[in-house]
Amino acid sequence: MWRNTSGGWGLPSILLHWLSAVAVVGLFALGWWMTGLGYYDDWYYLAPWWHRSVGMILFGATILRLVWRACQPTPHSQGHRLERIAAHLGHIALYVLMLVVLVSGYLISTADGSGIQVFGWFEVPAVISGLRNQATLAGIVHWYASLILMALAIGHMLAALKHHFIDRNDTLIRMLSPTSSRRKMD
């Protein structure tokens, strides 16, 4: 139930996947919404605080997820050869884009040399700051990488639904239940 097998995902992989998915979509929606806030809006300071805090938690969870994935077997992909290659490349692209979005967000927030307060629990220090046009350049990267990440996430979701409803295989079920593929293997 805890560890991945060649037939299915373990509970840590499943939880990290769904928490990341919710965080990515939520951060995208919050980021889009907060760019339209005016100085006198009640959420003008609070929305970025939430965005940065959740973003830093997601950054840590993404690093944990990558370490966990490196230490665990990856379940066999389903579908024909081209689908398996596309799935592999798509997963790499999703991870790379998540890291680009998270690092660029960090660079925006720390451009002035201030660390990032995470829900008032701890501060992530500004390791890199004061670079020429740091906030502006990181902001451009953050915006476009976020758009591409959302497009890939939608493609990822549509592929999972295709596997479930059209191909009728257990690709989606394996990401919902750590025991579904183990029952078949027993």
Side-chain angles (χ1 to χ4, degrees):
M1 181 163 164
W2 291 99
R3 299 183 60 95
N4 297 348
T5 67
S6 61
W9 299 101
L11 189 59
S13 296
I14 292 170
L15 289 175
L16 286 168
H17 172 271
W18 289 108
L19 290 173
S20 296
V22 168
V24 165
V25 171
L27 285 168
F28 182 80
L30 178 60
W32 189 303
W33 175 72
M34 72 185 195
T35 59
L37 293 175
Y39 182 77
Y40 295 104
D41 285 315
D42 292 337
W43 280 87
Y44 184 77
Y45 291 103
L46 193 55
W49 180 81
W50 275 94
H51 190 81
R52 287 188 298 266
S53 292
V54 173
M56 287 295 97
I57 298 294
L58 179 59
F59 201 164
T62 301
I63 299 301
L64 176 64
R65 188 173 174 192
L66 289 168
V67 169
W68 182 256
R69 186 167 174 136
C71 297
Q72 294 290 305
T74 301
H76 296 299
S77 295
Q78 297 182 341
H80 57 76
R81 185 173 186 273
L82 220 47
E83 282 181 318
R84 291 192 310 269
I85 291 169
H88 180 70
L89 293 175
H91 283 107
I92 290 171
L94 283 167
Y95 282 121
V96 167
L97 279 166
M98 277 191 353
L99 289 172
V100 167
V101 169
L102 293 165
V103 169
S104 61
Y106 168 82
L107 291 173
I108 294 166
S109 298
T110 59
D112 66 355
S114 301
I116 300 171
Q117 282 293 325
V118 180
F119 295 119
W121 301 333
F122 60 91
E123 181 176 299
V124 177
V127 178
I128 300 171
S129 64
L131 301 175
R132 190 167 164 243
N133 297 323
Q134 179 175 330
T136 301
L137 294 174
I140 292 167
V141 169
H142 191 70
W143 173 247
Y144 287 108
S146 296
L147 290 173
I148 297 167
L149 176 60
M150 287 309 298
L152 273 177
I154 290 167
H156 179 70
M157 178 194 67
L158 291 173
L161 293 173
K162 177 219 176 257
H163 278 286
H164 186 74
F165 291 109
I166 296 173
D167 300 340
R168 300 204 181 274
N169 63 37
D170 68 347
T171 298
L172 179 60
I173 300 300
R174 292 189 310 178
M175 192 45 79
L176 293 171
S177 171
T179 58
S180 63
S181 59
R182 281 152 180 79
R183 282 188 289 237
K184 288 182 179 181
M185 292 170 53
D186 292 338

